[in-house]
């Protein structure tokens, strides 16, 4: 029987101020992976890793599909891998979203996810409303969130509720709370019994400290503040087994949340003051 695994690379990329340089970086990383680690089947880049830091979001926002997504599509197809190229500013009517996109190894745009919790008051984008999960045929389901979304357990819960067994979190944390985010990444993996891949940038794109965490909360990969290519095997059977047997073999948060039907006042729109 074939094992249900996928080899993932999370690219803690050096993000330049300039979009053109960033596009080159992405291309070079993919070229390198194809040559040196052809077994990698899925690649994640940091949030806004292909952006122009001097421009306001609305000045560089583009439609999806658009010029950037066509480029990503070509790259996914050329290298034959699942590509999650961080996030881009998306223009939709008069609104601008911070949006992650997913491309299949055939180069198809599988879907997009709009960040639900922009980092206020600094991030001037409109919050998205919908969770987004995609399926890797024959393996399992993967959920997407972006950076600050991780701080809100409801976002992860929504994804896991839709069947996500892996949570990909393209991130652009340039601030001193990265160590807190590392703790939250581990906590999310434990409470949701899912893999968490938190891919932060370096340079103008963050302070690094990317993580890959397994469903028991163990850190599989961790890096400092330099450019780094993290790789790990995502084992979907392990997720199923951990959810069945429990965290540390004893606690079943994934199962118990489903079986114990609770309602929480905080989610009642009328009670939100």
């Amino acid at each position: 029987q074939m094992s249900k695994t996928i080899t993932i690379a999370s690219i803690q990329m050096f993000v330049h101020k300039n979009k053109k340089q960033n596009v080159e970086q992405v291309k070079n990383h993919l070229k390198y992976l194809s040559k040196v680690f052809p077994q990698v089947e899925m690649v994640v880049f940091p949030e806004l890793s292909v952006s122009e830091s001097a421009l306001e979001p609305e000045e560089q926002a583009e439609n999806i599909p658009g010029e950037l997504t066509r480029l990503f599509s070509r790259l996914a197809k050329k290298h034959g891998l699942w590509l999650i190229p961080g996030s881009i500013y998306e223009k939709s009517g008069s609104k601008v979203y911070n949006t992650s996109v997913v491309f299949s190894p055939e180069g198809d745009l599988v879907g997009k996810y709009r960040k639900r919790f922009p980092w206020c008051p600094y991030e001037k984008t409109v919050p998205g409303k919908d969770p987004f999960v995609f399926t890797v045929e024959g393996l399992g389901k993967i959920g997407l969130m972006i950076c600050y979304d991780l701080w809100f357990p409801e976002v992860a819960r929504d994804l896991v509720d839709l069947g996500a067994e892996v949570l990909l979190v393209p991130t652009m944390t340039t601030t001193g709370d990265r160590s807190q985010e590392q703790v939250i990444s581990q906590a999310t993996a434990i409470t949701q019994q899912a893999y968490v891949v938190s891919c932060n940038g370096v340079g103008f794109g963050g302070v690094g400290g990317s993580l890959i965490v397994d469903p028991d909360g163990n850190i599989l990969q961790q890096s400092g503040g330099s450019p780094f290519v993290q790789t790990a095997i995502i084992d979907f059977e392990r997720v199923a087994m951990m959810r069945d047997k429990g965290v540390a073999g004893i606690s079943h948060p994934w199962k118990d949340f489903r079986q114990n039907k609770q309602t929480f006042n905080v989610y009642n729109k009328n009670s939100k003051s």
Side-chain angles (χ1 to χ4, degrees):
Q1 185 202 331
M2 284 287 290
S3 70
K4 289 174 72 172
T5 63
I6 194 166
T7 304
I8 194 167
S10 171
I11 312 285
Q12 183 168 290
M13 179 177 121
F14 187 96
V15 181
H16 298 271
K17 276 184 169 173
N18 162 311
K19 180 174 166 181
K20 215 166 125 191
Q21 273 178 295
N22 290 329
V23 168
E24 282 312 304
Q25 286 281 84
V26 167
K27 286 179 176 171
N28 290 340
H29 277 297
L30 291 173
K31 210 180 291 174
Y32 173 79
L33 281 174
S34 286
K35 206 156 71 189
V36 184
F37 306 122
Q39 67 272 36
V40 168
E41 300 155 275
M42 179 176 283
V43 184
V44 186
F45 284 90
E47 175 187 19
L48 299 172
S49 51
V50 182
S51 58
E52 187 82 50
S53 63
L55 295 179
E56 288 298 316
E58 64 271 13
E59 294 178 275
Q60 55 180 312
E62 59 168 275
N63 296 327
I64 296 177
E67 197 186 330
L68 258 185
T69 57
R70 279 193 290 276
L71 166 73
F72 294 142
S73 162
R74 284 200 302 276
L75 289 170
K77 191 174 179 181
K78 178 182 175 182
H79 297 288
L81 16 90
W82 289 92
L83 177 61
I84 298 88
S87 71
I88 66 173
Y89 289 120
E90 177 198 3
K91 186 165 66 192
S92 178
S94 60
K95 294 179 173 152
V96 175
Y97 297 96
N98 183 343
T99 303
S100 257
V101 281
V102 178
F103 296 89
S104 74
E106 292 72 46
D108 296 325
L109 175 56
V110 174
K112 65 181 181 184
Y113 165 71
R114 292 166 168 171
K115 187 176 187 175
R116 295 174 78 174
F117 283 93
W119 192 54
C120 292
Y122 304 98
E123 195 178 346
K124 295 165 182 57
T125 55
V126 177
K129 294 274 181 273
D130 303 311
F132 173 68
V133 167
F134 67 98
T135 302
V136 179
E137 261 334 300
L139 289 181
K141 291 190 174 168
I142 297 183
L144 261 181
M145 46 180 153
I146 302 173
C147 199
Y148 195 43
D149 285 334
L150 180 70
W151 291 64
F152 301 88
E154 299 79 5
V155 178
R157 176 75 74 196
D158 243 1
L159 295 171
V160 168
D161 211 44
L162 291 171
E165 297 146 297
V166 183
L167 303 172
L168 304 179
V169 197
T171 297
M172 184 187 189
T173 298
T174 56
T175 44
D177 53 0
R178 182 61 191 156
S179 57
Q180 281 83 347
E181 252 169 24
Q182 291 172 325
V183 174
I184 301 170
S185 299
Q186 277 182 279
T188 301
I190 295 165
T191 54
Q192 304 301 339
Q193 297 190 268
Y195 284 92
V196 171
V197 179
S198 173
C199 178
N200 198 23
V202 293
F204 292 95
V207 294
S210 299
L211 289 180
I212 300 178
V213 189
D214 83 355
D216 229 357
N218 302 306
I219 294 175
L220 301 179
Q221 294 269 295
Q222 183 166 16
S223 34
S226 317
F228 197 92
V229 176
Q230 296 188 342
T231 50
I233 293 165
I234 302 291
D235 184 348
F236 290 89
E237 276 169 358
R238 182 168 166 76
V239 179
M241 183 269 287
M242 302 293 303
R243 287 177 175 179
D244 181 47
K245 304 280 189 203
V247 175
I250 47 173
S251 292
H252 297 86
W254 181 82
K255 220 183 265 180
D256 293 337
F257 187 79
R258 276 149 194 77
Q259 286 169 357
N260 180 338
K261 299 291 179 209
Q262 296 288 336
T263 52
F264 297 95
N265 272 343
V266 67
Y267 299 126
N268 177 349
K269 285 281 185 289
N270 306 327
S271 73
K272 253 191 170 178
S273 52

